[in-house]
Amino acid sequence: MHPTRILAIALAASAVAAHAADNKVTIENRIAQCQGCHGIPDWKTAFPEVYRVPKLGGQKAAYIVSALKAYKSGERDFPTMRAIAADLSDADMEAVAKYYAGDAATTAAATPAPAAAPAPAATPAPAATPAPAAAPATSEKKK
C-alpha cells in the first residue's frame, strides 16, 4: 500500500475516534430524552394508540427503575419505551429515576403551565358625540 494511503487511513481513523469521544451520551441527554414526552403536561401520544403519557415527576425511584428494566427485558411491551430502555445501563436507570423521584415541583413534568394573562379591562364606550349646535334664531324675517 502506498504510504500516502496509509497516512490518510490513519488520519481518518483518528478523526472518527476523536469524534466518537465527543459524542458521549450524558445523563442530562437521557433526562432530556424523557422530557420529550413525559415533560409535557397532559401530553397524548398517537402511536400505537392514543393515550395520555404518564407523568414521571414525583414517581418513586424504585418504580421507575422497575418499569425501565421491564421495558428493556420485553416484559413490558411498548415499542418506543423498549427502544429507549434498550440503551440504558443500570446506572443510567438509577440516575434517571433519582432525577424524577426528586421533588415533583423541580421537574419539568410537574411545572404548571404559565397562568393565562389577565383579560384586558373592558374599554369604556366612547362618550356620546354632542349634537351639532342649532343655528341661532334670528328675529329678522326674510322678505
Side-chain angles (χ1 to χ4, degrees), residues 27 30 65 68-69 72 84-96:
I27 194 60
R30 300 288 190 193
V65 170
L68 289 170
K69 286 182 177 185
K72 187 172 184 170
I84 290 169
D87 289 337
L88 296 176
S89 67
D90 287 349
D92 289 338
M93 290 180 193
E94 292 288 339
V96 167

Side-chain angles (χ1 to χ4, degrees), residues 35 38-41 99-100 104-112:
Q35 292 288 5
H38 297 280
I40 303 170
Y99 173 81
Y100 282 105
T106 63
T107 63
T111 304

Side-chain angles (χ1 to χ4, degrees), residues 22-97:
D22 290 344
N23 287 335
K24 184 177 181 182
V25 177
T26 65
I27 194 60
E28 287 80 14
N29 299 127
R30 300 288 190 193
I31 290 169
Q33 186 176 22
C34 300
Q35 292 288 5
C37 293
H38 297 280
I40 303 170
D42 298 320
W43 177 252
K44 290 184 177 122
T45 187
F47 180 80
E49 61 188 50
V50 176
Y51 73 97
R52 189 167 172 248
V53 175
K55 178 182 123 187
L56 294 182
Q59 290 283 2
K60 302 244 185 252
Y63 170 76
I64 294 171
V65 170
S66 173
L68 289 170
K69 286 182 177 185
Y71 283 120
K72 187 172 184 170
S73 73
E75 183 182 333
R76 278 188 168 191
D77 188 29
F78 185 75
T80 305
M81 284 304 303
R82 189 165 186 190
I84 290 169
D87 289 337
L88 296 176
S89 67
D90 287 349
D92 289 338
M93 290 180 193
E94 292 288 339
V96 167

Side-chain angles (χ1 to χ4, degrees), residues 120-132:
T123 306
T129 308

